[in-house]
Amino acid sequence: MDAGLAAAFDPPGFHRAAEQCTLRLRRYLDDPEIKGLDLVEPAVLMKAARELMTAERDDVAGYDEGRFHQIMDLYLNTGIQVHSPGYLGRQFSGVVPLAGLVDLVSSVANQPSSFYEAGQLPNVAERLMAEELGRFLGWDGERSAMVTTSGGSMANLTALLAARNRAFPGIWSRGVAEEGGRPAIAISEDAHYSVSRAAGVLGIGEEHIVRLPVDECGRIRVGAVAPILDAAEQRGLRVFCLVASSGTTAMGAFDPLDELAALTRPRGIWLHVDGAHGASLLLSERHRERLRGIAEVDSLTWDAHKMLFVPAPCTLLFYRDGSAAAGAFRQRASYVFDEEPDVYSALDSGDKNLECTKRPMIMPLWTLWSMYGPALFTRKIDHLCAMTVQAHRMLAAEPDFTVLHEPEANILCFRFTPEGLDDADLHALQLAIRNRLRADGRFFISKVHIGGVAALRVVLMNHKITAEHLDLLITEIRTTGSRVLREGAAAGGREDGSQR
Ligand SMILES: Cc1ncc(COP(=O)(O)O)c(C=O)c1O
């Protein structure tokens, strides 16, 4: 056999490299520094990465320990530092490290999970997690179903497809034009962009998206929903699905599911909940009330790679009526789908998810659940929500900050608001602060526009964040904001490039 080929697959060589790798990761996890992101110019990173590529083109290059070290360093150093308390910006988290090891096993053993025969344990683990997490939904476990999908966007798309196929069974074969009718969906003004994107993908059309207004906290105004649905019907639209959010991306707001279900049920409208961010609060006795009414909804998107702290992607899509899951896709393909399902293929999900080859994404979640039990998740969720309340309290006590809402979960939006600035100035100031903070590399926070004016946004995903870190962040924002104002006044311009 080719010696180079043999060496690349050599088990002892793999073991040595894995030891190096976990040692490096241990240093990474142990790093006490407060770090956000070292933002590197793409051209510089491209050059550094290119230099790490072997020049060998004829033979299989031999394993170069130094090169592997450098690749790992470059990878870890240029990422958002999700395990540092400086990371408060996005909704993916520093994972429970053991989950990473399970992912390593998945990567080496490579057991794609859309079909039982290819990924036996992943498929069984999916059923077990459907049972375990399904208990928190209050649905009939015999009737409901769950599939994993590669991310919340894909789950939202899949649920909308299942809802559309139920309401318009002919579209799958005859297409939208022939089926007639004008399929429409109703979504919150604050819905994640993946929902309107799904409408585009499904051929529903932007103009057939019925927007539901939200209150100052970002929740759908229930009182406005019935008249809007009636008006849509009068325009000839047939709203087949209403998408609510359990944890909006912008402010972490939870729509009132019980009240929305009372409106959609009599109209035969499918109620889908985008709980990509907030469904995990169901696990917490303290916070599950936010999803009151979940037992009444038709489907739920739940990202485990957000508030269940496993590697991305890992999304669970639940259907209250399992037969609806089978309605999403209707392909025949003799090379994978059996006409007569047997005890093995009964566990296949290939006919219910878009992916053919699907990562066994359930494995880290099932392993953590098996090893540590649910308290691992509830403790962390409760802690993060409590720290967000603390952040709210601290910011509200600062005279030159304005907090924009009471936190419902672990997302909080606010502005640095020194006196004498109009909305346009405030907008430019928040953007400049966010960009400077990111460039300085210590804290990584995000921004969002609320009421047309930019706001700063923190997402607390790291249980190592303390009140001292929040204090440091507040000070850094104030110092940075004041510097931006001084320099802006001196230069007479705006850092974000906007014009007055
Ligand atoms: C409410 C909500 N829905 C959907 C998504 C998309 O999920 P994913 O990034 O897993 O595709 C997000 C992502 O941030 C989200 O916050």
Side-chain angles (χ1 to χ4, degrees):
M1 199 213 285
D2 179 279
L5 188 57
F9 280 84
D10 175 49
F14 166 72
H15 185 199
R16 279 192 301 277
E19 274 183 342
Q20 266 184 30
C21 184
T22 48
L23 262 179
R24 177 66 186 84
L25 283 171
R26 183 190 158 158
R27 263 202 292 130
Y28 169 77
L29 292 171
D30 258 349
D31 188 345
E33 234 187 291
I34 303 174
K35 287 182 189 167
L37 167 69
D38 179 9
L39 194 62
V40 186
E41 264 196 48
V44 173
L45 185 55
M46 183 78 82
K47 182 168 178 293
R50 203 186 296 284
E51 280 166 7
L52 289 172
M53 296 171 72
T54 180
E56 179 62 68
R57 285 293 175 265
D58 299 325
D59 290 321
V60 179
Y63 176 69
D64 176 340
E65 189 176 311
R67 191 193 305 274
F68 187 49
H69 258 299
Q70 285 176 296
I71 288 176
M72 282 189 297
D73 279 344
L74 195 62
Y75 197 4
L76 294 173
N77 293 339
T78 54
I80 298 177
Q81 303 297 307
V82 290
H83 289 273
S84 164
Y87 168 64
L88 301 98
R90 297 257 176 245
Q91 294 159 272
F92 44 87
S93 75
V95 303
V96 185
L98 196 68
L101 290 182
V102 183
D103 237 15
L104 169 68
V105 176
S106 291
S107 295
V108 175
N110 204 16
Q111 302 185 15
S113 72
S114 283
F115 299 95
Y116 180 77
E117 67 178 21
Q120 298 189 64
L121 186 58
N123 275 285
V124 165
E126 278 197 18
R127 291 294 170 109
L128 293 172
M129 286 316 294
E131 272 173 38
E132 291 287 320
L133 297 178
R135 282 198 200 106
F136 295 92
L137 304 179
W139 295 351
D140 174 356
E142 296 293 315
R143 274 189 73 214
S144 59
M146 185 277 277
V147 284
T148 55
T149 69
S150 309
S153 306
M154 182 84 90
N156 287 338
L157 172 68
T158 308
L160 281 172
L161 188 59
R164 190 203 67 181
N165 288 348
R166 190 184 70 171
F168 297 88
I171 288 188
W172 188 267
S173 44
R174 299 207 303 274
V176 182
E178 296 247 334
E179 171 71 359
R182 296 168 67 199
I185 60 170
I187 70 174
S188 144
E189 273 172 357
D190 267 8
H192 187 261
Y193 75 85
S194 61
V195 179
S196 35
R197 176 175 285 185
V201 174
L202 296 178
I204 288 167
E206 279 274 308
E207 288 176 11
H208 295 176
I209 297 178
V210 177
R211 304 269 170 189
L212 305 173
V214 296
D215 63 19
E216 64 290 348
C217 299
R219 291 183 221 118
I220 290 175
R221 285 184 198 277
V222 180
V225 174
I228 289 176
L229 292 177
D230 290 341
E233 206 178 312
Q234 274 156 20
R235 275 166 45 217
L237 300 183
R238 188 162 151 217
V239 176
F240 64 88
C241 185
L242 189 150
V243 182
S245 309
S246 284
T248 56
T249 313
M251 291 202 264
F254 287 71
D255 291 327
L257 304 181
D258 48 355
E259 296 174 61
L260 290 170
L263 284 169
T264 51
R265 195 51 81 73
R267 292 170 185 256
I269 294 175
W270 179 303
L271 179 55
H272 173 65
V273 177
D274 180 357
H277 187 82
S280 299
L281 267 61
L282 283 167
L283 304 187
S284 158
E285 240 170 80
R286 235 179 266 170
H287 298 288
R288 77 173 57 112
E289 188 58 15
R290 301 265 180 223
L291 289 102
R292 193 177 57 235
I294 190 71
E296 307 302 320
V297 315
D298 294 293
S299 52
L300 168 72
T301 291
W302 184 339
D303 271 1
H305 59 257
K306 293 190 165 73
M307 295 283 279
L308 296 182
F309 322 113
V310 296
C314 176
T315 299
L316 305 105
L317 170 59
F318 283 89
Y319 295 93
R320 191 157 52 85
D321 173 3
S323 66
F329 303 102
R330 314 234 178 108
Q331 257 74 50
R332 284 171 201 275
S334 59
Y335 39 86
V336 281
F337 301 131
D338 291 337
E339 269 160 30
E340 292 298 328
D342 56 22
V343 60
Y344 309 109
S345 60
L347 267 78
D348 291 353
S349 64
D351 55 343
K352 303 182 194 69
N353 50 239
L354 188 67
E355 302 95 330
C356 175
T357 304
K358 183 171 77 170
R359 196 158 171 80
M361 60 191 92
I362 199 71
M363 288 307 294
L365 180 62
W366 176 70
T367 307
L368 294 182
W369 195 271
S370 305
M371 301 281 294
Y372 298 115
L376 174 74
F377 306 96
T378 51
R379 293 281 156 83
K380 182 153 169 162
I381 289 166
D382 286 349
H383 179 77
L384 295 176
C385 292
M387 276 316 290
T388 312
V389 171
Q390 165 97 343
H392 178 269
R393 209 176 298 133
M394 291 169 73
L395 283 161
E398 301 290 340
D400 48 356
F401 281 80
T402 304
V403 201
L404 299 178
H405 61 110
E406 298 261 344
E408 293 191 58
N410 59 332
I411 298 179
L412 185 63
C413 301
F414 58 95
R415 296 191 183 104
F416 177 53
T417 47
E419 278 180 7
L421 301 183
D422 62 16
D423 276 359
D425 287 326
L426 282 175
H427 178 83
L429 178 60
Q430 315 309 310
L431 295 180
I433 291 173
R434 193 267 165 174
N435 289 345
R436 287 244 186 142
L437 247 58
R438 187 179 64 172
D440 290 347
R442 207 150 84 108
F443 286 104
F444 181 87
I445 65 171
S446 46
K447 54 101 181 142
V448 62
H449 294 191
I450 295 176
V453 180
L456 302 172
R457 171 178 176 268
V458 289
V459 187
L460 276 79
M461 295 300 288
N462 189 336
H463 59 279
K464 287 187 268 176
I465 294 169
T466 62
E468 286 76 51
H469 296 119
L470 295 173
D471 231 358
L472 282 175
L473 174 65
I474 292 170
T475 305
E476 189 148 325
I477 291 174
R478 179 180 289 118
T479 311
T480 305
S482 307
R483 189 157 35 101
V484 168
L485 287 174
R486 271 197 314 276
E487 291 170 9
R494 286 168 167 241
E495 184 155 335
D496 72 333
S498 66
Q499 303 293 318
R500 293 210 71 170

